Amino acid sequence: MAATIATEDQQRVMGILAHANADDLAQRFAGLADLPRWQFIRRPETGLVMVRGRIAAEGAPFNFGEATVTRAVVALDSGETGFAYALGRDHEKAERSAIVHALWKRHDFRDAVETNVLAPLQQQLDEADDKTRGEVAATKVDFFTLMRGDD
């Protein structure tokens, strides 16, 4: 059984898996070898969550609307459990994410998961963020006011 893992580390791993592209995750998952046996604790299921927002990131939160989310929970035969939440209805992504999360908790798989799955997915997410920031920056307009003196 895995030792206690810091909450921040769990959040980082689950965040990468949740934000990753499903096809990229599937490709990285296929590269993992000698996977241990596992079983579902909770099969992938789709439901709704309430999305909350704030105006300009300030003010009182309000219910913005609902989003479709799929979750899954697996357990490896060695006892580690993996959890996954993913926007949308992709049951396979939720299943793979949960398995990767559980594998990451095993000391003998952690390095392989970090190197072959999480690091490349994080790099792709960072590159996509940089591209979006560049596109947004290109459309930035600086407004200024010229003061006119009385002649």
Side-chain angles (χ1 to χ4, degrees):
M1 200 74 148
T4 303
I5 300 172
T7 301
E8 298 81 26
D9 293 334
Q10 298 262 11
Q11 291 172 340
R12 178 186 66 84
V13 171
M14 292 177 73
I16 292 169
L17 295 169
H19 288 97
N21 177 286
D23 293 334
D24 294 335
L25 176 60
Q27 179 183 10
R28 295 290 171 187
F29 182 80
L32 294 174
D34 300 324
L35 296 179
R37 293 176 41 101
W38 59 272
Q39 62 185 349
F40 283 114
I41 293 175
R42 183 177 299 272
R43 290 191 173 279
E45 58 188 359
T46 301
L48 296 174
V49 295
M50 180 59 65
V51 178
R52 299 190 40 96
R54 295 175 185 252
I55 300 297
E58 298 177 356
F62 62 94
N63 291 341
F64 181 73
E66 294 175 332
T68 305
V69 175
T70 302
R71 70 176 176 181
V73 183
V74 301
L76 303 180
D77 282 352
S78 54
E80 293 83 5
T81 55
F83 303 85
Y85 294 87
L87 280 175
R89 299 174 177 274
D90 192 340
H91 288 210
E92 290 177 355
K93 179 183 177 187
E95 178 183 338
R96 285 185 189 109
S97 295
I99 295 168
V100 169
H101 182 232
L103 290 171
W104 175 81
K105 291 180 179 181
R106 280 186 54 162
H107 294 293
D108 56 337
F109 272 92
R110 183 168 296 173
D111 288 340
V113 169
E114 284 283 351
T115 303
N116 300 324
V117 180
L118 298 176
L121 292 176
Q122 181 64 61
Q123 182 178 357
Q124 290 174 327
L125 292 171
D126 291 344
E127 289 171 359
D129 284 347
D130 290 344
K131 180 180 177 189
T132 300
R133 282 189 188 97
E135 291 169 351
V136 169
T139 64
K140 181 179 178 185
V141 177
D142 289 322
F143 293 95
F144 60 93
T145 303
L146 292 175
M147 303 265 318
R148 194 173 148 195
D150 291 334
D151 296 314

